[in-house]
């Protein structure tokens, strides 16, 4: 059975940003995130013995914010220092370079970003549509609801989360996780839940362990909050268009060309480059 590796690219870029120093440059341009991103792609391909990659990116615009203006409002860019703003510019330039230029030039064709939607939405569509076994490279807690269709791999912790492990930990099916979040909310996205209801309480309610008391009554009285949150946390968000899959065109010459343009000398060296050739079947 083939293995599909579906990458939350913003997540992986941030991993590279904070794992590597800001000092890696080539011809005056920063390349540390580019280098780290590509290095991780090779590591993932080797680890899972697959070259079936799908790259999912967040859109700057947000349909969820239109539905709920407080969505992610706790993330305030105006609190950044001038130095932080400059570092963000350097980082996001590399994010865009990877998405718009480097991955396409390497010959990868399944690079997805849809205006208004998050990478999580694209990932949800892919894992439910692709044939084979799916590995999602991400760390977003919301993605736990997809574990009947994939496993989640945290590249920083080198940790794989499966459906079996999820059920053992929470005693519910992964599909129920969106209802847990609808009741308890999501702090990281600034989605408020029902007051006094955390994840454990939500699970007790949904499994029938909680059948009376003030909290039980409050949950029943808070249908509006639950309905609003269900719309925000369920994946994928409604009305997102389906991605169109294409076959990659991966060639030795284009890989060597990209490595040369960005000064990725170590990747061009014969021993390292032959890993790319072998795993990605470069012609």
């Amino acid at each position: 059975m083939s293995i599909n590796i579906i990458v939350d690219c913003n997540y992986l870029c941030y991993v590279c940003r904070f794992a590597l120093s800001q000092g890696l440059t080539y011809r005056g341009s920063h390349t540390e995130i580019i280098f780290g991103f590509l290095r991780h792609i090779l590591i993932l391909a080797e680890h899972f013995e697959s070259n079936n990659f799908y790259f999912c990116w967040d859109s700057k615009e947000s349909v969820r914010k239109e539905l709920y203006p407080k969505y992610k409002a706790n993330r305030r860019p105006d609190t950044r220092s001038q130095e932080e703003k400059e570092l963000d510019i350097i980082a996001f330039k590399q994010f865009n370079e990877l998405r718009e230029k480097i991955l396409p030039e390497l010959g990868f064709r399944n690079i997805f970003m849809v205006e208004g939607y998050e990478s999580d939405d694209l990932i949800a569509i892919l894992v439910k549509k692709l044939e084979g076994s799916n590995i999602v490279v991400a760390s977003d807690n919301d993605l736990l609801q997809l574990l009947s269709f994939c496993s989640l791999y945290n590249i920083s912790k080198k940790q794989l989360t499966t459906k079996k492990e999820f059920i053992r930990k929470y005693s519910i099916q992964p599909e129920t996780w969106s209802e847990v979040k609808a009741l308890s909310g999501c702090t990281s996205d600034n989605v408020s839940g029902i007051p006094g209801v955390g994840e454990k309480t939500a699970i007790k309610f949904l499994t029938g362990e909680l059948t009376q008391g003030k909290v039980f009554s409050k949950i029943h009285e808070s249908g509006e909050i639950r309905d609003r949150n269900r719309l925000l946390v369920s994946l994928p968000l409604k009305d997102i268009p389906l991605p169109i899959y294409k076959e990659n065109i991966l060639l030795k010459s284009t890989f060597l060309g990209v490595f040369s343009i960005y000064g990725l000398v170590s990747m061009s060296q014969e021993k390292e480059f032959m890993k790319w050739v072998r795993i990605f079947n470069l012609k």
Side-chain angles (χ1 to χ4, degrees), residues 50-98:
S50 175
N51 57 19
N52 297 325
F53 277 84
Y54 298 81
F55 300 97
C56 300
W57 297 84
D58 288 334
S59 167
K60 291 182 180 179
E61 305 302 320
S62 175
V63 173
R64 285 179 174 84
K65 195 166 183 64
E66 293 175 6
L67 295 171
Y68 181 58
K70 294 182 180 179
Y71 185 73
K72 293 187 178 179
N74 53 335
R75 305 179 185 184
R76 296 183 179 179
D78 57 349
T79 63
R80 296 174 299 168
S81 66
Q82 185 59 38
E83 182 181 4
E84 288 172 331
K85 291 179 181 179
E86 291 172 359
L87 291 175
D88 280 347
I89 291 172
I90 292 170
F92 293 136
K93 182 180 179 181
Q94 293 178 75
F95 286 26
N96 293 335
E97 192 90 352
L98 279 160

Side-chain angles (χ1 to χ4, degrees), residues 3 10 12 44 55 73 85 99-100 105 131 133 149 155 157 198 205 216 221 223 241-242 247 264 271 279-280:
I3 296 177
N10 292 76
L12 182 53
L44 288 164
F55 300 97
K85 291 179 181 179
R99 186 186 75 252
E100 297 173 359
E105 287 190 1
E131 295 182 0
S133 177
F149 306 94
I155 204 164
K157 298 179 180 179
F205 174 81
F216 178 81
E221 294 166 0
L242 293 174
E247 187 172 348
L264 307 177
K271 184 178 180 180
I279 294 174
F280 288 92

Side-chain angles (χ1 to χ4, degrees), residues 18-208:
F18 295 110
L20 300 169
S21 71
Q22 294 288 326
L24 187 61
T25 61
Y26 182 69
R27 294 182 176 177
S29 297
H30 283 262
T31 57
E32 60 274 350
I33 295 173
I34 293 168
F35 172 79
F37 188 99
L38 295 179
R39 184 182 66 177
H40 279 302
I41 294 307
L42 180 59
I43 291 171
L44 288 164
E46 286 186 301
H47 182 73
F48 292 108
E49 298 181 346
S50 175
N51 57 19
N52 297 325
F53 277 84
Y54 298 81
F55 300 97
C56 300
W57 297 84
D58 288 334
S59 167
K60 291 182 180 179
E61 305 302 320
S62 175
V63 173
R64 285 179 174 84
K65 195 166 183 64
E66 293 175 6
L67 295 171
Y68 181 58
K70 294 182 180 179
Y71 185 73
K72 293 187 178 179
N74 53 335
R75 305 179 185 184
R76 296 183 179 179
D78 57 349
T79 63
R80 296 174 299 168
S81 66
Q82 185 59 38
E83 182 181 4
E84 288 172 331
K85 291 179 181 179
E86 291 172 359
L87 291 175
D88 280 347
I89 291 172
I90 292 170
F92 293 136
K93 182 180 179 181
Q94 293 178 75
F95 286 26
N96 293 335
E97 192 90 352
L98 279 160
R99 186 186 75 252
E100 297 173 359
K101 190 172 181 181
I102 295 173
L103 291 174
E105 287 190 1
L106 286 172
F108 292 107
R109 294 293 178 261
N110 294 304
I111 306 162
F112 305 119
M113 185 179 77
V114 178
E115 185 175 352
Y117 296 88
E118 300 179 2
S119 59
D120 289 1
D121 297 307
L122 295 163
I123 289 168
I125 291 176
L126 288 169
V127 298
K128 293 177 181 180
K129 296 292 184 181
L130 291 173
E131 295 182 0
S133 177
N134 299 313
I135 302 295
V136 175
V137 181
S139 66
D140 195 325
N141 187 268
D142 291 340
L143 292 170
L144 292 172
Q145 65 188 272
L146 302 176
L147 283 173
S148 289
F149 306 94
C150 65
S151 295
L152 302 179
Y153 185 68
N154 185 311
I155 204 164
S156 299
K157 298 179 180 179
K158 295 181 172 60
Q159 179 180 352
L160 187 70
T161 302
T162 65
K163 177 180 179 179
K164 184 177 180 180
E165 290 168 345
F166 175 87
I167 293 173
R168 184 187 303 120
K169 181 176 181 179
Y170 294 105
S171 299
I172 57 174
Q173 293 295 317
E175 291 80 0
T176 308
W177 188 249
S178 59
E179 285 300 310
V180 172
K181 303 299 287 184
L183 294 171
S184 63
C186 182
T187 303
S188 63
D189 289 339
N190 201 44
V191 176
S192 57
I194 299 170
V197 178
E199 289 177 0
K200 291 182 179 180
T201 301
I203 290 172
K204 287 181 179 179
F205 174 81
L206 293 168
T207 56

